[in-house]
């Protein structure tokens, strides 16, 4: 081997900020806030206030390697922390407010965070948790001095804290493998697990996200992340947008259809993204009001399977392309993205749309995929043979935070817990999570496929399928449906809708109408559903 003779400048989050401020300094950032007027500044302003925040954190005693926790929505102040904490060498733990009290306390104590910075409307939550937070020394409310009210804990005002600080910071050069963000999985089984993203992983992931074969962002785009900043760094958009020079629009906690539509229209949003539930609400809003998004071109959707009907409605009614992504907290989170290829385009628009609307995405440079059969051999890439999905790459977890053993095997393969197929074009299709698979008479039924089809039935808002114990077949599918407000849908309508679209033995043994519980990350909570309906077929 002979070493290359190029420079080895580390890939650091602060490098993104420095670049955006110098190359796209005037490009706007717009943020809704909890109960303050809309905030406007630009990348230059972000660099200035992130520097002030870094000085303030340092003054509070935060040193490289320390953890600080945010409990916050998608706002410019949260964005500033995304750069301030990792920039100075600390780690930002983005706590997920949708977890249970116990789990939030667990994650903050597990992270051993020294500072907790929280949005105003989490004041009661923080007051409730504070006595159990063993490592927090300073509480900071992300608010101006006038609006910071006593929260049951003594909290400083973020604005007062940063006000007198210098607007430049000598961002240190450090090892690109240093930890930058600590994101916890939602812990559907056991305690949440911490995934510690390195600067290198964050920067490579953000660069890959911007590629034309991925999000394809340019300086003309206006990007509004509706995936939460606290959940796997909002799919890296707070980094990809500045790298591409895109305008950034932050919706705070207002994810209802009317609020999102207002921002989309007023700010000229061209690109947005979030979990399917948000877009179900948004499409219902457009339908009810007859409004149409003007500039919107692409919506990236992931976190759980995108119903085909959702992608089709966006495209055929509003001319908006849906890019489905698959990923997880352990993959930073981007794994695959469903974008077209010449081979698909050659098949014609309908066939291409069909392929894209029914698959999670395509192999991206940086993430290797392997579908493994039960005997450990690699399953053929035929789009039919399913198996355990494993991944590896520079933004895939190696070991969970404070665990003694690696989460990936010796060759780097991390078992995602998903069941999938891969086809000859490199398209991935998730058929289930290992723990959600329905085993009926020894055969597998894909709950995701059934949900996807049932979601297309008129009047259905959310369709959830779980396997419930059955005396003869071991398990059979039960379909739980939450309808749109005011929609009258009967069991017979749903079964008639499914009949021509599925093989007979997949037909759910029953269809029930009930609210569908969601997890902290917006996915159907199958554990709760299975528990609630477990004796439905056995009596
Ligand atoms: P959690 O903390 O709930 O595990 P993650 O966001 O890490 O939150 O969840 C990752 C899981 O979400 C994946 O393993 C997969 O099961 C599911 N998932 C993500 N995107 C998709 C998608 N497009 N289609 C189907 N399932 C998806």
């Amino acid at each position: 081997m002979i070493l290359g003779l190029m420079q080895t400048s580390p890939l650091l989050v602060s490098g993104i900020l420095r670049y955006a401020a110098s190359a796209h300094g005037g490009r706007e950032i717009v943020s809704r806030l909890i109960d303050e007027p809309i905030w406007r500044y630009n990348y230059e302003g972000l660099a200035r206030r992130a520097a002030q925040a870094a000085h303030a954190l340092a003054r509070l005693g935060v040193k490289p390697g320390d953890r600080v926790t945010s409990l916050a929505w998608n706002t410019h102040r949260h964005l500033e922390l995304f750069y301030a904490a990792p920039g100075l060498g600390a780690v930002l733990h983005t706590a997920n407010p949708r977890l249970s009290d116990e789990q939030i306390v667990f994650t903050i104590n597990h992270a051993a965070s020294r500072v907790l910075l929280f949005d105003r409307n989490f004041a009661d939550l923080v007051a409730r948790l504070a006595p159990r937070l063993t490592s927090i020394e300073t509480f900071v409310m992300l608010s101006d001095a006038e609006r910071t009210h006593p929260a049951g804990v003594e909290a400083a005002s973020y604005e007062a804290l940063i006000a007198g600080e210098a607007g430049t910071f000598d961002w240190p050069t450090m090892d690109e493998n240093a930890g930058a963000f600590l994101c916890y999985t939602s812990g559907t089984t056991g305690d949440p697990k911490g995934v510690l993203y390195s600067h290198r992983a964050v920067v490579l992931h953000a660069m890959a996200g911007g590629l034309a074969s991925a999000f394809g962002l340019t300086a003309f785009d206006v990007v509004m992340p509706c995936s939460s900043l606290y959940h796997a760094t909002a799919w890296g958009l707070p980094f990809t947008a500045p790298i591409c020079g895109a305008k950034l629009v932050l919706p705070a906690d207002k994810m209802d259809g009317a609020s999102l539509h207002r921002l989309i229209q007023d700010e000229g949003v061209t690109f947005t993204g979030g979990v399917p539930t948000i877009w179900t609400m948004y499409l219902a809003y457009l339908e009810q009001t007859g409004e149409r998004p003007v500039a919107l071109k692409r919506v990236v959707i992931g976190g759980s399977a995108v119903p085909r009907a959702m992608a089709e409605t966006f495209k055929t009614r509003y001319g908006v392309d849906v890019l489905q992504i698959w990923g997880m907290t352990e993959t930073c989170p981007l794994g695959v993205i469903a974008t077209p290829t010449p081979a698909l385009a050659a098949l014609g628009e309908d066939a291409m749309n069909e392929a894209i609307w029914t698959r999670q995405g395509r192999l991206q440079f940086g993430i290797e995929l392997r579908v493994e059969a039960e005997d450990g051999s690699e399953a053929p890439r035929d789009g039919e043979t399913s198996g355990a999905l494993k991944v590896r790459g520079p933004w895939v977890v190696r070991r969970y935070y404070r665990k003694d053993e690696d989460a990936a095997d010796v060759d780097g393969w991390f078992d995602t817990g998903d069941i999938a197929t891969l086809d000859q074009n490199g398209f991935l299709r998730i058929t289930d999570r290992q723990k959600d698979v329905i085993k009926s008479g020894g055969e597998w039924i894909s709950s995701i496929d059934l949900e996807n089809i049932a979601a297309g039935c008129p009047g259905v808002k959310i369709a959830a399928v779980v396997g419930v114990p059955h005396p003869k077949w071991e398990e059979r599918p039960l379909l739980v449906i939450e309808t749109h407000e005011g929609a009258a849908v009967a069991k017979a309508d749903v079964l008639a809708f499914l009949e021509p679209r599925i093989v007979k033995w997949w037909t759910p043994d029953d269809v029930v109408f009930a609210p569908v519980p969601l997890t902290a990350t917006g996915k159907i909570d199958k554990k709760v559903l299975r528990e609630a309906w477990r004796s439905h077929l056995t009596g």
Side-chain angles (χ1 to χ4, degrees):
M1 184 193 71
I2 172 172
L3 277 182
L5 294 173
M6 310 310 281
Q7 301 185 10
T8 53
S9 359
L11 301 171
L12 299 176
V13 167
S14 55
I16 297 177
L17 186 61
R18 218 184 264 135
Y19 166 76
S22 75
H24 307 288
R27 197 71 171 122
E28 237 188 326
I29 300 173
V30 179
S31 176
R32 262 200 217 283
L33 292 166
I34 309 308
D35 52 4
E36 296 169 55
I38 285 192
W39 169 273
R40 287 173 192 279
Y41 63 167
N42 53 27
Y43 285 115
E44 234 173 58
L46 171 64
R48 192 166 52 247
R49 284 177 47 99
Q52 290 178 283
H55 284 298
L57 288 174
R59 189 157 47 81
L60 293 175
V62 174
K63 290 188 294 300
D66 285 347
R67 276 78 58 208
V68 302
T69 294
S70 59
L71 195 57
W73 302 109
N74 290 13
T75 69
H76 73 290
R77 294 189 184 117
H78 201 181
L79 183 68
E80 289 157 11
L81 299 178
F82 264 50
Y83 286 98
L88 70 85
V91 170
L92 184 68
H93 160 228
T94 50
N96 180 344
R98 303 229 188 263
L99 294 177
S100 66
D101 282 14
E102 282 63 40
Q103 287 178 320
I104 300 175
V105 168
F106 171 85
T107 60
I108 298 174
N109 288 346
H110 188 262
S113 262
R114 299 184 57 195
V115 181
L116 174 60
L117 303 106
F118 61 97
D119 267 329
R120 274 168 65 73
N121 50 4
F122 292 129
D124 292 343
L125 174 65
V126 170
R128 204 163 65 231
L129 305 184
R132 287 186 279 160
L133 300 176
T134 49
S135 58
I136 299 292
E137 298 157 17
T138 312
F139 292 86
V140 179
M141 193 185 275
L142 293 166
S143 158
D144 56 24
E146 303 92 81
R147 287 183 178 85
T148 302
H149 56 73
V153 289
E154 208 159 311
S157 145
Y158 176 77
E159 292 298 334
L161 210 59
I162 70 168
E165 300 293 350
T168 55
F169 194 96
D170 194 8
W171 302 111
T173 300
M174 58 193 144
D175 187 333
E176 64 182 13
N177 291 300
F181 290 86
L182 182 55
C183 301
Y184 283 81
T185 64
S186 57
T188 33
T189 49
D191 285 330
K193 294 189 283 270
V195 186
L196 183 54
Y197 299 172
S198 61
H199 283 260
R200 172 185 152 84
V202 169
V203 173
L204 288 173
H205 172 268
M207 288 170 77
L211 293 175
S213 57
F215 296 158
L217 296 178
T218 74
F220 292 92
D221 275 303
V222 180
V223 175
M224 179 169 76
C226 298
S227 43
S228 307
L229 259 64
Y230 60 72
H231 188 208
T233 70
W235 307 347
L237 288 171
F239 309 112
T240 303
I243 284 176
C244 299
K247 170 176 166 181
L248 201 47
V249 179
L250 298 164
D253 57 342
K254 317 271 187 315
M255 298 293 178
D256 61 286
S259 305
L260 290 185
H261 190 64
R262 209 43 299 124
L263 276 183
I264 288 172
Q265 300 298 68
D266 291 353
E267 304 302 329
V269 171
T270 62
F271 184 101
T272 179
V275 294
T277 34
I278 291 174
W279 307 113
T280 302
M281 291 191 294
Y282 181 60
L283 286 176
Y285 171 82
L286 294 183
E287 173 89 31
Q288 276 155 20
T289 56
E291 300 230 18
R292 301 178 62 83
V294 173
L296 192 61
K297 298 275 185 312
R298 280 162 299 158
V299 183
V300 36
I301 312 181
S304 42
V306 179
R308 186 191 180 290
M310 177 177 282
E312 187 171 1
T313 306
F314 262 118
K315 181 69 179 171
T316 54
R317 212 168 294 166
Y318 304 107
V320 173
D321 283 316
V322 166
L323 305 176
Q324 177 159 194
I325 59 169
W326 167 90
M328 56 200 316
T329 305
E330 287 89 337
T331 62
C332 255
L334 293 186
V336 300
I337 306 176
T339 46
T341 62
L344 282 181
L347 302 174
E349 201 179 330
D350 288 351
M352 183 177 81
N353 284 338
E354 194 54 37
I356 288 192
W357 292 344
T358 55
R359 285 163 180 77
Q360 266 64 28
R362 199 163 170 267
L363 280 168
Q364 298 292 311
F365 175 71
I367 293 269
E368 287 179 86
L369 303 181
R370 176 183 164 92
V371 173
E372 229 172 61
E374 268 177 40
D375 64 2
S377 65
E378 184 164 4
R381 295 190 169 189
D382 57 6
E384 299 272 322
T385 315
S386 62
L389 175 64
K390 298 193 169 178
V391 295
R392 72 176 174 193
W395 56 89
V396 174
V397 67
R398 177 169 62 81
R399 179 181 293 199
Y400 290 109
Y401 186 54
R402 292 180 56 189
K403 293 277 183 201
D404 296 329
E405 280 172 24
D406 281 356
D409 69 18
V410 285
D411 297 318
W413 291 109
F414 170 75
D415 190 342
T416 62
D418 286 331
I419 307 286
T421 65
L422 258 180
D423 68 20
Q424 63 279 19
N425 297 314
F427 274 91
L428 175 82
R429 220 166 65 80
I430 301 283
T431 57
D432 244 314
R433 272 189 134 170
Q434 252 155 42
K435 54 183 188 294
D436 296 336
V437 140
I438 303 168
K439 258 200 175 150
S440 174
E443 298 289 337
W444 286 4
I445 294 175
S446 161
S447 66
I448 292 186
D449 283 352
L450 265 181
E451 285 161 2
N452 209 328
I453 295 165
C457 178
V460 171
K461 185 173 167 198
I462 309 178
V465 175
V466 284
V468 291
H470 184 277
K472 180 167 177 201
W473 299 110
E474 197 180 337
E475 265 190 340
R476 287 294 300 157
L478 170 73
L479 174 56
V480 183
I481 283 188
E482 183 174 323
T483 54
H484 281 294
E485 221 179 279
V489 193
K491 175 176 164 182
D493 302 328
V494 179
L495 290 176
F497 182 84
L498 291 180
E499 207 229 45
R501 295 175 169 86
I502 57 173
V503 287
K504 201 157 181 301
W505 66 279
W506 278 34
T507 309
D509 277 36
D510 200 4
V511 182
V512 294
F513 295 86
V516 172
L518 299 179
T519 67
T521 47
K523 297 179 219 299
I524 295 168
D525 197 332
K526 301 254 171 122
K527 207 167 94 191
V528 168
L529 273 183
R530 266 194 298 269
E531 213 37 62
W533 297 95
R534 62 175 302 107
S535 37
H536 189 67
L537 299 179
T538 46

